[in-house]
Amino acid sequence: METVVSGIRPTGNLHLGNYFGAVNNFLKMQQDANCYFFVADYHSLTTHPHPDNLNASVKQVLAEYLACGLDPEISTLYIQSDLPETTELYLFLNMLSYVGELERSASFKEKIRKNPDNVNAGLLTYPVLMAADILIHRATKVPVGKDQEQHLEMTRNFAVRFNHLYGVEFFPEPVAYNFGVQLVKVPGLDGSGKMGKSEGEGNAIFLIDEDDVIKKKVMRAVTDVGPTGPNQQKPDAIENIFSLMRLVSSNDTIQHFEDSFNNCTIRYGDMKKQLAEDMNVFISPIREKIKLISADEKYLAKVVKAGADKAHENGRKTINEARKIIGIRSF
Ligand code: TYM
């Protein structure tokens, strides 16, 4: 059976980008593969969250995963820091990763551009920790959004390098995976780039957003004066609205707006109103479940404990084996 791993940083509530890039993709695999899903709390330390906030965010993200349909009976749902074996593997992999390749990673470059005052070594070695998360379970598939593609390429490089150095076939070469289709990049509402929690107010629709909040954000989404002739190519901001619609609306609705764009009768106000309604229909059952699950501390504690045990059992095996390969052996 194939092994699948994915994770999300607890740096805010889950949004539609997280859902369609990673969670939904993972949900489709949980019946047929050996699946691990974790809350990447170690990764979130690069930005020094307040300890109380960190703990609350971990709980919240966990409740949100569960509300989306992650089934802790069939998948292993755990907190990254409950599997400290990950950090030992991170150390081993750090010995094989080159400073130059880490400095060239697109996400590192972007992070130092955005936060020039906090260029810590944890940021530089972020992809190594991520590789450790994946390789600790010797996973082959990693359901993530398009923004993580380069990290997966680096993970494969570290895996191959380890195997080559020690003359073993120990780590597989995992791939960024989307169930049956290409990797997803969910756009934000501000007309440029991807949906993200750090991209500015109003750019992301969160799974906990109430109806009126969704409406307000969607109605403010960037559009333009409309097409000036039939069958034009859509400007980026308009294509983004269509992309969001393709995630939550029916085929008939999408076709209706495609046709009205092509014959220049489209009214973006109507389109956004429809999009907000369809988003709300999609989000509201998840939102209600988030409220129920996040209030049930006992249930969350039970899930976390069971997940830690299961993750630990598998992680321990990998680390014992890796230690032996490296030459850390008892005598
Ligand atoms: P993070 O927390 O930034 O995002 C979590 C997941 O959501 C996806 N995602 C998106 N997908 C499509 N469109 C978007 N607009 C969008 N925004 C976010 C991300 O691709 C990701 O799958 N480094 C990771 C967390 C991580 C991890 C791992 C993932 C740590 N270790 C091991 C997989 C395997 C991150 O920062 O994701």
Side-chain angles (χ1 to χ4, degrees):
M1 200 194 259
E2 204 140 25
T3 299
V4 171
V5 169
S6 199
I8 293 188
R9 282 169 303 146
T11 49
N13 294 104
L14 295 196
H15 52 67
L16 287 177
N18 298 134
Y19 185 87
F20 287 104
V23 181
N24 180 38
N25 194 2
F26 184 90
L27 292 177
K28 294 187 187 146
M29 305 168 89
Q30 64 176 355
Q31 297 292 346
D32 305 313
N34 187 15
C35 287
Y36 294 87
F37 213 124
F38 65 95
V39 183
D41 56 347
Y42 284 146
H43 274 104
S44 69
L45 298 179
T46 55
T47 55
H48 314 147
H50 188 282
D52 297 340
N53 291 346
L54 177 63
N55 187 251
S57 298
V58 169
K59 249 188 225 163
Q60 178 67 17
V61 169
L62 194 71
E64 292 182 348
Y65 274 169
L66 290 162
C68 289
L70 252 105
D71 184 343
E73 300 288 327
I74 49 178
S75 293
T76 301
L77 185 54
Y78 69 100
I79 317 281
Q80 188 183 29
S81 57
D82 277 339
L83 183 60
E85 283 80 359
T86 305
T87 57
E88 188 170 345
L89 185 56
Y90 167 58
L91 183 141
F92 294 158
L93 297 176
N94 266 323
M95 307 302 168
L96 306 174
S97 58
Y98 305 121
V99 172
E101 70 186 327
L102 298 175
E103 281 172 341
R104 279 194 301 275
S105 120
S107 63
F108 179 67
K109 284 194 197 151
E110 185 179 324
K111 280 181 182 145
I112 60 174
R113 190 177 52 80
K114 283 190 178 160
N115 296 299
D117 299 333
N118 181 27
V119 186
N120 59 61
L123 271 184
L124 184 70
T125 57
Y126 185 107
V128 189
L129 181 55
M130 187 161 157
D133 293 324
I134 297 164
L135 298 177
I136 194 76
H137 297 299
R138 302 214 272 158
T140 46
K141 284 190 177 142
V142 186
V144 284
K146 182 127 185 81
D147 58 329
Q148 299 297 321
E149 202 171 22
Q150 194 184 28
H151 287 153
L152 263 296
E153 194 185 320
M154 295 171 88
T155 301
R156 287 192 291 280
N157 289 341
F158 302 146
V160 167
R161 228 173 272 163
F162 181 97
N163 291 345
H164 184 73
L165 179 64
Y166 295 107
V168 290
E169 283 300 321
F170 186 55
F171 289 122
E173 292 181 53
V175 290
Y177 186 76
N178 190 299
F179 200 80
V181 281
Q182 287 175 344
L183 299 183
V184 173
K185 177 181 156 189
V186 176
L189 289 168
D190 60 4
S192 65
K194 64 165 189 167
M195 184 173 286
K197 40 209 161 201
S198 54
E199 311 298 324
E201 189 62 21
N203 178 48
I205 300 284
F206 296 100
L207 301 180
I208 46 136
D209 280 349
E210 297 288 343
D211 189 12
D212 55 330
V213 176
I214 297 174
K215 209 174 275 155
K216 215 177 191 172
K217 287 184 185 173
V218 174
M219 293 316 283
R220 281 199 198 131
V222 177
T223 47
D224 59 17
V225 289
T228 51
N231 304 316
Q232 282 178 346
Q233 199 188 339
K234 299 185 187 90
D236 287 351
I238 305 303
E239 181 55 40
N240 288 352
I241 309 271
F242 274 93
S243 296
L244 291 167
M245 205 166 221
R246 283 183 210 113
L247 298 174
V248 292
S249 301
S250 71
N251 288 340
D252 285 352
T253 302
I254 299 161
Q255 195 55 50
H256 165 77
F257 287 103
E258 287 282 0
D259 291 345
S260 57
F261 179 86
N262 285 332
N263 64 28
C264 303
T265 57
I266 196 159
R267 287 164 50 164
Y268 290 132
D270 292 346
M271 184 179 183
K272 289 197 276 190
K273 198 161 154 250
Q274 182 70 48
L275 176 61
E277 269 170 36
D278 293 343
M279 277 184 174
N280 187 51
V281 168
F282 177 80
I283 284 176
S284 58
I286 300 179
R287 181 174 67 217
E288 296 317 310
K289 273 194 213 142
I290 294 174
K291 288 181 196 162
L292 286 176
I293 296 173
S294 55
D296 193 346
E297 298 251 343
K298 252 198 195 146
Y299 173 64
L300 288 175
K302 201 178 108 193
V303 167
V304 164
K305 169 80 178 66
D309 290 347
K310 277 204 272 177
H312 198 254
E313 198 184 309
N314 198 43
R316 197 67 246 158
K317 265 193 234 154
T318 305
I319 274 298
N320 286 344
E321 205 50 39
R323 280 175 153 241
K324 258 194 239 151
I325 290 169
I326 289 171
I328 303 175
R329 301 172 186 154
S330 53
F331 46 87

